[in-house]
Amino acid sequence: MPVGLFAAAVIPVMYGTATVLQAVGSRRLAPTPVDARLLLRLLRSVPYLAGLAMDGVGFVASLLALRSLPLFLVQSAVASSIGVTALVARLWLGTRLGGAQRLALVGVGVGLVLLAVSAEAEGGQPLSLAGQWLVLALSLLVAGLSALAARAPGGRPASVLAVAAGLGFSGVAIAARALDLSSPWWPALRQPLLWSLAVGGVVAITCYAAALQRGVVTVVAAVSLAVETIVPAVVGWAVLGDRARPGFLPVAVAGLLLSLGGAVALARYAEPEALPIAP
């Protein structure tokens, strides 16, 4: 439990700072189709690479946390990264947070404490083989639909891509929670969930970068974080056996609402619109 909680505390620091760096890197590029070429171009951007490295640390921390903590706690920690993003943008831009924003930060912090107190530490229940294939199939479906949405004329592709990114991150979280890594580890290579981690990760990273190019970071961050918090929490509770400690369900619900509500309220203060984007 202490290792899981420490890992959960690292997640928002890494992801929150990475969002600002990735926004700077992605906006140095002209909008392009959502495909491998976008990733190749992004990998030549130093700010984006730095953000991606921090995302990698955050991802490893989330994997460690998910081995013993329920999805509703770990994904709420991910959502709280928007508060770190707001603080980093504030330091970078020299702006100030108003009273409402400070209150939202307090709400995020209190919500995470409530979730940590109420969470029951245990491993996730394994998914059936059919369930594993379903997670992988849904990840591939999201990839295909997001590529079509990015090419569709008119509409609101940024919002659609933000939802796709949230679903991609959701698939990664669900797969990581349910993945069986018992000794020996090599049979895990045959599990569809392991491939879901890879597919979901690529979908999420690509769609998030494309959404940042096309839309306001406020909307992209809020939509993506809401999806990747709520969807895994529901799946974890309904399918993977995630539970609050006996008698602590109201505390867990209050914590989830506080942390998610505070994250959404802070979204516009994570907006690095004025960050320098020239090479």
Side-chain angles (χ1 to χ4, degrees):
M1 181 71 165
V3 174
L5 287 176
F6 176 77
V10 171
I11 293 170
V13 177
M14 294 294 107
Y15 282 160
T17 307
T19 294
V20 177
L21 293 171
Q22 288 175 339
V24 173
S26 64
R27 291 188 175 197
R28 288 180 175 177
L29 306 177
T32 55
V34 184
D35 54 25
R37 289 175 295 175
L38 174 58
L39 280 180
L40 291 176
R41 294 180 66 200
L42 286 170
L43 292 177
R44 293 196 291 267
S45 169
V46 174
Y48 189 85
L49 282 176
L52 199 61
M54 297 191 76
D55 268 343
V57 176
F59 177 68
V60 172
S62 67
L63 289 180
L64 290 175
L66 284 167
R67 302 317 298 167
S68 60
L69 298 176
L71 278 163
F72 63 79
L73 171 55
V74 178
Q75 293 309 109
S76 294
V78 173
S80 72
S81 66
I82 199 71
V84 176
T85 301
L87 291 175
V88 172
R90 174 185 179 277
L91 293 173
W92 199 325
L93 300 173
T95 57
R96 294 184 178 182
L97 294 177
Q101 290 71 51
R102 293 192 182 96
L103 184 61
L105 278 172
V106 172
V108 169
V110 172
L112 288 177
V113 170
L114 293 178
L115 287 168
V117 169
S118 62
E120 188 171 37
E122 59 180 13
Q125 293 181 359
L127 275 177
S128 65
L129 186 59
Q132 295 185 37
W133 281 111
L134 178 61
V135 173
L136 179 57
L138 290 176
S139 297
L140 293 170
L141 179 62
V142 171
L145 293 178
S146 61
L148 291 176
R151 290 175 168 82
R156 305 182 66 177
S159 297
V160 174
L161 288 168
V163 172
L167 291 174
F169 286 125
S170 297
V172 169
I174 293 167
R177 178 66 171 157
L179 188 63
D180 183 10
L181 294 177
S182 57
S183 182
W185 60 267
W186 59 266
L189 296 175
R190 299 198 303 265
Q191 295 185 48
L193 285 178
L194 188 64
W195 300 105
S196 298
L197 280 172
V199 173
V202 171
V203 169
I205 291 171
T206 307
C207 289
Y208 197 66
L212 288 173
Q213 285 185 321
R214 290 162 171 78
V216 180
V217 176
T218 300
V219 177
V220 172
V223 171
S224 179
L225 286 172
V227 172
E228 67 179 286
T229 301
I230 295 172
V231 171
V234 172
V235 173
W237 188 272
V239 180
L240 301 179
D242 288 348
R243 293 292 182 269
R245 292 166 55 192
F248 277 77
L249 178 59
V251 177
V253 172
L256 181 63
L257 293 177
L258 273 174
S259 59
L260 182 57
V264 172
L266 280 167
R268 77 184 184 93
Y269 284 86
E271 176 71 83
E273 290 286 354
L275 292 179
I277 60 174

